[in-house]
Every structure is written in structure tokens, then in C-alpha cells.
Amino acid sequence: MENRNILSTAAQNAMASGVRRMFELAKKYPDAINLTLGEPGFTTPDHIIEAGVKSLLAGKTKYTPNAGIKPLRDAIAWKLKNENGIECDPDKNLIVTAGATQGLMLAIATLVDKGDEVIIQGPNWPDYKGQLDTVGAKTVYAMVSEENGFKMTADIIEPLITDKTKLIIINSPSNPTGGILDEQDLREIANLVKKYGIFIISDEPYEKLVYDGFKQKSLAAIDDGLDDYVITINSLSKTYAMTGFRVGYICANERIMQEMIKLQEFMIASIPEPMQMAAAEALYNGKKDVDEMVEYYDRNRRLIVEGLNRINGFSCHNPKGAFYVFPNITGFGMSSVETAEYILEKTHVVTAPGSAFGDGGEGYIRICYASKYEDIQEALRRMEEAFGRKTV
């Protein structure tokens, strides 16, 4: 009886976002240049917005099916087949979610029980750990490093597998590092999954944001024998600059999908139809928009990597994907939190401490280069002025 007024363990133990904390600290600097949040530097393309508005004006303001409306599921199935090489029946294998974030929570709640072990990359997007804590799972970190391009490969994963391992989560291109898994990496992970019979989530929201001629492949298309194990999760947020639309999706086998649809009712019930119609427009007709965004991000990537590597205290790996750099800041001789705060104080440039991204993040900061080219130029100018230029 005395426990009635105590909040849940999950709520009490949830970590506040280290990224959001820096965002709040920056508010006292009117001229701050914010390079923290993973937000595309573009407004959603007009034709996508217009599709949503058209749906609203047509009175499409009612509840929709738990799995999503048929036009969007058809569009997703078309996209997966033609762009990813994944056969995904729109009526049996797909569900529309509130972005990849809710999709991940739905998948984790469907697959994982309290006490199960789940292997994720370290460092990682912090919501993975928060969601796993919510269901009482044990997080196991597969530590990656600059030396191997921040790749979470099979040889790193396999020693961590125990009889309690229920799920592996991979993310390529990766947040926060921009690391990628190529076809051979994915093939070796596929072999590992089949060997041990473990579920695996392939979280793919940055799949199109790749550079230097690299093309990201989907794990589900690598091996025909993965149908019982692989869950593909994606989002339109980053690729099409639709973060506020909150539309994502999951492709999985029918057995898994039947259970997901039941849990979807308890989590969010359904996604608004206008947002879904906008998403369908993006999938069918958004290629030109994506190509233009990727070209812009690539220009920013080259600018920031070259710029940081000229400045005292920084050593910056050149990422092949996403829109983040994860520079090594051990040259400052401080923790990542202290360094991020020091950079903010001296230059009014807002970055995210690596420790905000879990195990393996210390010694780094994350910088998002999806913002304006001119803002990145100014941020680099301020940091070079404050910390000095390396001597050759």
C-alpha cells in the first residue's frame, strides 16, 4: 500500500537528453550557432506539403487503420521492392508508425521481455537505451572505434552473444558517428543472425544520406534466409525533411506483424491520414528533392571535416553517411561535457557531448552539419579564432 505514490522505475531512471541540455544552455547566447539537433536543414518540399493539405481539405480527419492507410502501405511496398530489393506484402508485412522512434518502441515491445539481452552499438542514438530500459531489457554495448570507421561488425557482435540475447539493433548509416555497414559487413551479420536464431532490427532512417559513391543496402535484402529474424524500420523524417510529420514504418514477417498491430492500438492507435498521404507523395515523387539535399549535405560534410581538422584540439574522421561528424576532442584535455560547454562559452557554437550517446561516446562530440553552409563557415571561423590553427 505504501508504494501507491511512487513513480515507475523506468520513469525515475530515464536519462535527460544531453543533446537537449546543450540546446537549453545555448539560449543565453543570442548569436549562438546551433549544431546539435539532428534536424534537416530544409523545409519539407512543397509538393509533399500540398499532398497533406489536399487530404485535410478533403475532410480526411478521422481515425485510420492501425496498420496505416492502404495508399501509403502500397507506396512503402513499392519503395522497398524497387529501391531496397525487399519483397514486403503491404497487407501482411507492413505497419505505419509515428516515425522510426515509435516504430522502434513498438518492435522492442513486441520482441523483448524483461531480462532479455539486447546488443546495440556503443556509442549510439540514446533512445535505444531508454526504450530498452522501459521494457526492462539489459543493454549490451558492441563497442566501435575510429580505427574501423565506427563499424558494428559481426566480429564485434559475436563475443557478446549469450543464451539471453534476444535482439540485435544495427543502424547504418549511424547516428551519432556517420559510420556505415557495407554489403560484406551485412552479409557477415546475416550469417551470425541465422547461426544463433536471434531477432535483428535494421534501423535505416539515414539510408539515402550517403556519400563518396557509397550505396547503403538493407539487411533484409542481403539473404533470403532472414525472414524469421529481421525487422526493417525506416522513417521519412531525415530523408525528406519531414521530422514534424511523424511518419515511419516497419516491415516484418506476418507472425511478428500480427502482434505489432495489436500493440499499436495501445500505443498510438493510428497516424493521421493527411500525414500519410504526404508520405506517399514523398515516396513516389521525392527523389529529386533527396538528391538535392544529399548534394547540399555532402558540401557541408567536406567543409566541416576539413575545417575541424585544421583547428587545435580536434581530430575528425570523415563519415560516409548521415549528417553528423563525431570528432575526437581528447586534445582539449577535458571530458566531452566540459569540452562542449567550453566551446559554447568561448565561441557560442552549440555541440553535443559524446557522453550523451552512451558507452563509447566519451572523448568525442557530435556536430550536425545539416544546417546552413554559411553557419558552418561561421562556426569554424569562431572555433579557429578561439583555439588556434594547427601548425604543419
Side-chain angles (χ1 to χ4, degrees):
M1 299 294 285
E2 63 273 11
N3 291 331
R4 282 182 177 176
N5 241 1
I6 297 176
L7 301 180
S8 74
T9 301
Q12 292 183 71
N13 291 342
M15 292 190 306
S17 169
V19 178
R20 294 279 180 178
R21 177 178 172 275
M22 292 303 301
F23 191 82
E24 292 300 315
L25 286 176
K27 288 182 177 178
K28 65 180 179 179
Y29 302 106
D31 64 340
I33 298 174
N34 199 323
L35 304 178
T36 53
L37 295 181
E39 181 76 60
F42 293 87
T43 303
T44 308
D46 288 348
H47 66 103
I48 298 173
I49 294 173
E50 287 164 5
V53 171
K54 182 178 178 181
S55 179
L56 280 167
L57 292 175
K60 303 298 184 181
T61 58
K62 306 296 184 181
Y63 288 127
T64 60
N66 295 137
I69 61 174
K70 187 70 162 62
L72 179 54
R73 284 185 283 118
D74 286 343
I76 295 167
W78 174 86
K79 182 266 183 199
L80 288 172
K81 180 177 181 179
N82 288 280
E83 296 184 3
N84 302 87
I86 300 172
E87 294 285 348
C88 198
D89 187 321
D91 298 318
K92 296 179 180 178
N93 305 126
L94 277 174
I95 188 168
V96 179
T97 60
T101 304
Q102 188 256 327
L104 284 158
M105 189 70 246
L106 178 60
I108 287 168
T110 303
L111 301 172
V112 178
D113 282 316
K114 183 176 181 180
D116 287 341
E117 294 180 0
V118 179
I119 299 172
I120 65 173
Q121 178 177 302
N124 63 89
W125 181 53
D127 284 29
Y128 293 146
K129 175 68 162 57
Q131 292 176 341
L132 293 171
D133 286 350
T134 299
V135 299
K138 179 184 177 182
T139 301
V140 178
Y141 290 100
M143 307 301 293
V144 301
S145 67
E146 276 183 86
E147 289 69 33
N148 80 336
F150 295 111
K151 287 173 176 270
M152 181 178 161
T153 49
D155 62 313
I156 297 173
I157 297 169
E158 186 165 21
L160 304 174
I161 294 174
T162 72
D163 58 1
K164 293 184 178 180
T165 304
K166 188 70 170 292
L167 173 67
I168 300 165
I169 302 176
I170 61 171
N171 174 220
S172 178
S174 165
N175 176 10
T177 68
I180 52 91
L181 296 171
D182 61 30
E183 185 170 354
Q184 183 59 32
D185 298 325
L186 292 173
R187 197 166 297 284
E188 291 170 1
I189 291 172
N191 291 336
L192 198 65
V193 167
K194 290 189 296 180
K195 177 181 176 180
Y196 291 96
I198 298 170
F199 289 122
I200 184 163
I201 290 173
S202 183
D203 183 25
E204 304 180 1
Y206 299 97
E207 59 164 347
K208 293 179 183 292
L209 307 185
V210 290
Y211 317 104
D212 301 332
F214 179 73
K215 180 174 172 57
Q216 182 65 60
K217 292 188 177 294
S218 289
L219 180 67
I222 291 291
D223 192 310
D224 292 338
L226 290 178
D227 287 354
D228 288 341
Y229 309 112
V230 67
I231 299 92
T232 301
I233 298 182
N234 210 328
S235 165
L236 284 82
S237 294
K238 313 296 186 179
T239 310
Y240 299 97
M242 294 176 65
T243 51
F245 285 69
R246 309 313 303 137
V247 181
Y249 57 89
I250 304 173
C251 174
N253 70 36
E254 189 173 1
R255 178 175 73 97
I256 295 171
M257 190 55 60
Q258 287 174 343
E259 305 308 318
M260 283 185 175
I261 289 171
K262 290 191 296 186
L263 291 180
Q264 178 82 328
E265 172 64 27
F266 309 144
M267 286 189 181
I268 196 167
S270 60
I271 311 303
E273 184 163 345
M275 304 298 102
Q276 294 190 61
M277 291 305 296
E281 169 66 20
L283 292 172
Y284 284 130
N285 299 309
K287 183 181 185 304
K288 183 174 179 288
D289 305 306
V290 176
D291 290 345
E292 290 174 355
M293 291 183 208
V294 170
E295 183 179 353
Y296 189 89
Y297 295 147
D298 188 22
R299 184 179 178 224
N300 287 3
R301 176 185 70 117
R302 287 182 273 113
L303 172 67
I304 199 157
V305 170
E306 292 169 8
L308 288 173
N309 281 326
R310 289 197 305 265
I311 300 171
N312 287 329
F314 294 99
S315 174
C316 189
H317 169 78
N318 190 19
K320 287 191 180 294
F323 43 46
Y324 310 106
V325 286
F326 204 58
N328 185 315
I329 44 80
T330 54
F332 282 90
M334 296 182 281
S335 72
S336 62
V337 169
E338 290 168 334
T339 301
E341 292 179 355
Y342 181 67
I343 292 170
L344 176 60
E345 178 187 344
K346 294 295 183 182
T347 70
H348 302 179
V349 174
V350 196
T351 64
S355 58
F357 301 93
D359 284 15
E362 189 52 70
Y364 299 87
I365 59 172
R366 191 192 76 172
I367 296 175
C368 177
Y369 55 82
S371 55
K372 293 180 181 178
Y373 187 84
E374 293 75 17
D375 286 347
I376 296 172
Q377 283 182 313
E378 174 60 16
L380 290 168
R381 186 198 66 76
R382 292 183 190 181
M383 290 190 287
E384 186 171 317
E385 183 179 279
F387 310 128
R389 189 170 185 146
K390 292 177 181 176
T391 56
V392 179

